[in-house]
Amino acid sequence: MLRFLLEKEFRQIFRNPAIIRMMFIMPVVQLVILPLAANYEVKNVAIAIVDHDHSSYSQKLVHKAMASGYFKLTGYYPSYKQALVQIEKDKADIIMEIPAHFEKQLVRESEAPLLLSVNAVNGTKANIGAGYLHTIIRQYNQEIRLQWLQMPRLPDQLQIQTTFTNWYNPGMNYQQFMVPGILVVLLTMVGAFLTALNIVKEKEVGTIEQINVTPVKKHLFILGKLIPFWIMGQIVLTLGLLIARLVYHIIPAGNIGLIYLFSSVYLLAVLGLGLLLSTYANTQQQAMLLAFFLLMIFILLGGLYTSIDSMPIWAQAITKFNPVSYFIEVMRMVVMKGSQFSDIRHHLGIMAIFALVLNTWAILNYRKRQ
Amino acid sequence: MYHELNDMIVADKLTKTFGDFTAVDAISFEVKKGEIFGFLGANGAGKSTAMRMLCGLLQPSSGSARVAGHDITRQSEKIKQTIGYMSQKFSLYEDLTVKENMRLYGGIYGMNLTAIKAKTASIASALHLQEELDTLVGSLPLGWKQKLAFSVAMFHSPPLVFLDEPTGGVDPVTRREFWELIYAAAHEGTTVFVTTHYMDEAEYCDRVCIMVDGKIQALDKPGALRQMYNTNSIEGVFLQLARTAKRMAD
């Protein structure tokens, strides 16, 4: 009996160009575009400069900042007030005000005040930008000191220099970090949306009534829905991994088989969620809103964009019930760290529980009789 | 219980309420094996609700019924093996072809491929659908869709078939053809339970049951009903009974 249900489902999937588009073109486009745009690195921080000094030192400082590549010059302004207008118009993120007699004061008193004003509307950008600028000023400061201390026998001040080594992602390559995560989100969306919409569509059109009046077993009907979408999910994953490899040169450090092992269980959980939603929703609109609401939470609390470790405790507790967060973690562990089976065993176990609970719930809540 | 062997359906005070609305109000009746049993009523009289309870699509609120010897409350899945059902709303898969729909339902009812093929061929020739076997159901005209839905409901040769307003919205010629299909099925021994609001169709039934506001107001052979209400058509009977209706049609 299952065979006939599967035949039917595959025929309908391949006959619906919208589903094929959603399953293949959407992930490809998103994986190619999103990682390039969604990225933690802050660039193009617009900086407005008020230089009251017009000295060679102030010029050098500005050149140094611009040469770092993180900043974009909005322009030079004669007064702080005029520069502030640029911030108000959202044309500038930071104002650097160099006071008059900056050079003189620096030479004479070995120190000079500088004013940085930050537009905190886009807080992250401006703060990180200010941080960069701060580092640049400090380096510049040291260079000047070196020039002045001719033949220093002893450094007049002890300095600690920090060197960073970035383990698992040596180049701090954001794509290496983002692409596996985005792939998980795509897989989740494709899986949950398609299954939820599929069954609710049968309710809406009325075809499910003809099925419900047959002696078909509930679990067979649900398997008939799960298996096709499970296979489609694995195809989308394969497609995603190929794009990661071809476009971003991301080759998983660990065994790729582990990713498929995890996705096998993960897809069951996600499809189970879709099925569950479909048993509660009566129209495709309801199903869509419900799925969107849940996925929004899953994605925002999934550790894709923001680190789970820095969330408040209650939010961290919520992420324990978020299947997306487990797969994103496993993906990053396997792709970047080369984690072994023993490392992801715990995640896999939890995902199996998700799959079991969601599907059992869906089967129990699917009623052939109202 | 006494009639069990001869009765395909026995309903006893079958009731369905939705909140404080009683859609079907304690109806009791029997349907004999092999008869064409017509359920008549205005829109919203409770015909479909009663039928959906008998098919195992709706849980009754109270009362009981047996269909083909099985209790509708506890054995609904067993009932489903022995009945065919044609919904008021066309519910075959429009994105599957005629042949694929038949194959799917044949398969669900446990028929093997040879049986499915043979049945598909015989239906195609009976409905003159040979040319359309590979056409998507969605692109068929309504009349053909209805006839196809009936054939799919009859695909696994059930002893009892439920038809919920099968001729809604089709032209008189197609209605006539449709009733020929019903007669052919009845001739082969199938019990037919059909709801309709076309009064002329009631004349085609062996027995007619008229529902008003969730209750059965009359149940007899069409001829006997005409005589009892002293009129020359079932329509006349219906109009006399329907005047007492308080419920607004939906």
Side-chain angles (χ1 to χ4, degrees):
Chain A
M1 197 188 281
L2 183 58
R3 170 192 161 183
F4 293 97
L5 291 170
L6 289 176
E7 268 180 20
K8 163 220 169 227
E9 217 58 57
F10 276 115
R11 284 199 175 109
Q12 289 183 303
I13 289 171
F14 285 111
R15 246 165 232 170
N16 188 338
I19 293 190
I20 298 295
R21 267 200 293 275
M22 183 163 165
M23 298 207 74
F24 296 105
I25 300 176
M26 189 183 84
V28 171
V29 170
Q30 293 208 357
L31 266 180
V32 171
I33 292 169
L34 266 184
L36 295 176
N39 159 340
Y40 292 127
E41 208 172 20
V42 171
K43 275 187 183 156
N44 299 325
V45 180
I47 184 167
I49 290 170
V50 186
D51 187 354
H52 297 298
D53 195 38
H54 303 291
S55 64
S56 67
Y57 276 132
S58 71
Q59 281 301 317
K60 246 188 219 160
L61 178 60
V62 172
H63 282 307
K64 248 186 116 54
M66 297 320 293
S68 70
Y70 295 113
F71 300 99
K72 190 177 74 189
L73 187 66
T74 308
Y76 285 92
Y77 300 92
S79 73
Y80 181 76
K81 226 177 170 177
Q82 275 159 294
L84 201 58
V85 172
Q86 297 305 309
I87 286 203
E88 278 162 3
K89 286 188 190 157
D90 220 14
K91 294 246 169 66
D93 300 307
I94 296 181
I95 302 173
M96 179 163 73
E97 189 181 24
I98 304 171
H101 316 302
F102 174 71
E103 185 180 290
K104 261 188 209 155
Q105 222 173 336
L106 200 62
V107 173
R108 205 184 306 141
E109 295 165 27
S110 315
E111 59 176 49
L114 253 178
L115 177 70
L116 291 185
S117 255
V118 168
N119 174 7
V121 171
N122 184 347
T124 322
K125 189 180 181 188
N127 274 320
I128 294 178
Y132 289 157
L133 198 55
H134 201 252
T135 312
I136 290 165
I137 295 168
R138 212 179 48 226
Q139 280 173 0
Y140 179 59
N141 191 10
Q142 272 174 26
E143 274 171 38
I144 296 172
R145 289 168 60 93
L146 274 173
Q147 280 177 15
W148 291 354
L149 292 166
Q150 285 165 347
M151 298 201 313
R153 277 191 209 120
L154 279 169
D156 61 343
Q157 197 182 330
L158 285 173
Q159 281 194 6
I160 299 171
Q161 275 214 332
T162 325
T163 326
F164 292 97
T165 314
N166 300 308
W167 275 93
Y168 311 125
N169 189 0
M172 282 295 270
N173 180 342
Y174 288 98
Q175 281 145 13
Q176 181 116 354
F177 184 68
M178 292 305 289
V179 169
I182 291 177
L183 185 52
V184 170
V185 170
L186 278 174
L187 211 57
T188 313
M189 284 180 53
V190 167
F193 273 94
L194 282 185
T195 24
L197 291 181
N198 180 287
I199 298 185
V200 178
K201 185 187 165 204
E202 290 222 19
K203 278 194 198 176
E204 239 176 23
V205 179
T207 50
I208 203 153
E209 187 160 290
Q210 196 68 48
I211 291 284
N212 284 343
V213 85
T214 71
V216 69
K217 298 265 181 299
K218 282 201 287 187
H219 69 272
L220 283 182
F221 178 72
I222 286 194
L223 266 183
K225 296 281 180 196
L226 275 185
I227 295 171
F229 289 113
W230 186 89
I231 293 173
M232 298 310 237
Q234 298 289 31
I235 294 174
V236 169
L237 174 67
T238 309
L239 210 65
L241 289 173
L242 271 175
I243 294 172
R245 190 178 199 124
L246 296 176
V247 180
Y248 303 103
H249 311 291
I250 297 173
I251 297 166
N255 188 345
I256 203 161
L258 285 180
I259 296 179
Y260 279 98
L261 174 69
F262 197 86
S263 75
S264 307
V265 183
Y266 180 75
L267 278 169
L268 283 182
V270 169
L271 299 180
L273 175 72
L275 288 172
L276 183 62
L277 292 180
S278 75
T279 62
Y280 282 106
N282 286 319
T283 62
Q284 294 189 70
Q285 210 172 23
Q286 285 173 3
M288 197 76 180
L289 281 172
L290 215 56
F292 198 76
F293 170 72
L294 279 179
L295 286 176
M296 195 85 159
I297 295 177
F298 283 173
I299 291 167
L300 287 177
L301 291 180
L304 176 63
Y305 297 108
T306 46
S307 162
I308 290 176
D309 293 331
S310 28
M311 291 177 190
I313 302 293
W314 59 266
Q316 289 192 31
I318 293 176
T319 64
K320 296 265 183 286
F321 297 94
N322 180 357
V324 175
S325 71
Y326 291 93
F327 197 15
I328 289 186
E329 207 175 314
V330 166
M331 266 290 206
R332 285 177 178 161
M333 281 164 75
V334 175
V335 170
M336 294 162 76
K337 249 161 112 177
S339 296
Q340 305 293 311
F341 178 72
S342 54
D343 302 316
I344 65 161
R345 208 174 43 193
H346 173 70
H347 296 75
L348 197 64
I350 292 179
M351 202 44 65
I353 296 173
F354 267 113
L356 197 71
V357 169
L358 288 169
N359 283 295
T360 312
W361 187 355
I363 291 180
L364 289 178
N365 203 49
Y366 166 54
R367 290 186 204 294
K368 287 178 77 177
R369 181 155 68 163
Q370 246 67 57
Chain B
M1 286 300 146
Y2 177 73
H3 297 287
E4 190 83 344
L5 282 176
N6 288 319
D7 290 337
M8 204 54 164
I9 302 173
V10 183
D12 184 21
K13 300 197 187 76
L14 196 58
T15 303
K16 181 72 190 179
T17 53
F18 298 101
D20 51 6
F21 173 72
T22 308
V24 174
D25 195 357
I27 57 171
S28 303
F29 61 92
E30 295 90 38
V31 176
K32 292 187 184 62
K33 271 186 187 156
E35 84 176 325
I36 300 178
F37 188 86
F39 234 49
L40 249 73
N43 292 331
K47 296 172 300 200
S48 292
T49 309
M51 180 181 270
R52 289 164 59 82
M53 280 192 279
L54 296 173
C55 293
L57 284 172
L58 265 181
Q59 188 92 37
S61 305
S62 68
S64 67
R66 296 181 80 79
V67 174
H70 304 296
D71 183 87
I72 60 162
T73 316
R74 287 174 287 112
Q75 297 171 299
S76 64
E77 290 303 296
K78 275 201 175 137
I79 292 172
K80 287 173 183 173
Q81 189 66 251
T82 55
I83 61 167
Y85 170 72
M86 180 180 164
S87 158
Q88 187 174 356
K89 193 175 169 194
F90 183 73
S91 55
L92 295 180
Y93 290 99
E94 302 218 334
D95 49 355
L96 293 182
T97 66
V98 173
K99 205 158 80 183
E100 286 162 357
N101 268 293
M102 291 183 183
R103 184 183 163 90
L104 170 67
Y105 282 102
I108 286 179
Y109 284 104
M111 292 166 72
N112 63 35
L113 286 178
T114 338
I116 291 176
K117 261 195 191 127
K119 190 80 186 190
T120 305
S122 80
I123 289 178
S125 73
L127 298 185
H128 307 291
L129 269 175
Q130 289 100 328
E131 304 287 310
E132 310 293 336
L133 278 178
D134 292 315
T135 308
L136 289 184
V137 166
S139 54
L140 291 177
L142 182 67
W144 274 11
K145 277 187 184 169
Q146 298 294 82
K147 283 190 263 180
L148 181 67
F150 175 74
S151 307
V152 171
M154 294 294 296
F155 201 81
H156 57 294
S157 318
L160 168 63
V161 65
F162 289 94
L163 309 173
D164 195 359
E165 295 190 8
T167 51
V170 299
D171 61 80
V173 178
T174 314
R175 267 171 63 196
R176 182 96 216 165
E177 287 170 0
F178 197 94
W179 273 91
E180 278 162 18
L181 290 176
I182 293 179
Y183 272 129
H187 189 69
E188 284 168 25
T190 312
T191 310
V192 180
F193 186 113
V194 54
T195 69
T196 181
H197 54 230
Y198 292 113
M199 295 307 139
D200 57 328
E201 289 186 350
E203 308 276 357
Y204 304 146
C205 300
D206 293 324
R207 281 199 305 153
V208 176
C209 166
I210 298 179
M211 271 187 92
V212 178
D213 287 356
K215 293 194 181 75
I216 293 178
Q217 291 295 354
L219 198 175
D220 213 325
K221 293 189 168 69
L225 285 177
R226 284 196 303 265
Q227 222 165 22
M228 197 187 307
Y229 287 87
N230 196 23
T231 163
N232 55 10
S233 70
I234 288 294
E235 186 160 8
V237 178
F238 181 77
L239 288 175
Q240 287 184 38
L241 291 171
R243 259 181 222 127
T244 63
K246 290 178 189 73
R247 196 181 283 173
M248 292 294 287
D250 51 16

